[in-house]
Amino acid sequence: MFVAVTAWFLSIVFLCVFLFGYANRIAVNWNQTDFLFHGATFVFYFGAFLLQAATTSLHHFPRKFNSTTHEKILADHEYNISIAASIFAFATAVCYGCSTALALRRWRL
């Protein structure tokens, strides 16, 4: 959730910078900034995907190994939500990865 909210907030900041014309007043290489932003966001989203997928894979393990009850770490409903979160985190990471590659190409040309 932290990754998604931070990426959304920074995207809104970049949008406002370009909409209000501050990009022309600030002496920054915007192609490099775009590449760095999308690259960092890709790394964070991919890390979030790996953590979510690792948590999802623990579904069948019991909560306590020495317990006689067979209560799972994730309930079935939580497991389904976790699968969906893993898929969407991966899809978002792929999109940011493609955007990073395009930003690198634009920056280097």
Side-chain angles (χ1 to χ4, degrees):
M1 194 66 176
F2 171 76
V3 174
V5 171
T6 303
W8 176 81
F9 178 74
L10 289 176
S11 295
I12 296 296
V13 168
F14 279 137
L15 177 66
C16 289
V17 164
F18 284 103
L19 281 178
F20 297 123
Y22 293 125
N24 299 329
R25 299 179 201 167
I26 302 172
V28 173
N29 185 347
W30 289 106
N31 289 327
Q32 181 183 15
T33 304
D34 184 49
F35 168 71
L36 293 174
F37 169 70
H38 285 99
T41 306
F42 165 72
V43 168
F44 288 132
Y45 261 111
F46 192 74
F49 157 69
L50 290 177
L51 283 170
Q52 189 66 43
T55 302
T56 304
S57 69
L58 298 176
H59 168 67
H60 296 292
F61 288 107
R63 188 175 297 267
K64 294 180 184 177
F65 289 109
N66 59 2
S67 176
T68 57
T69 62
H70 297 290
E71 183 181 347
K72 297 177 184 176
I73 290 179
L74 294 174
D76 289 335
H77 180 68
E78 292 169 337
Y79 177 66
N80 294 336
I81 291 173
S82 190
I83 289 173
S86 298
I87 291 169
F88 281 108
F90 180 74
T92 306
V94 167
C95 290
Y96 272 107
C98 292
S99 184
T100 300
L102 292 173
L104 177 63
R105 193 172 96 184
R106 184 175 50 250
W107 175 37
R108 290 295 176 188
L109 288 178

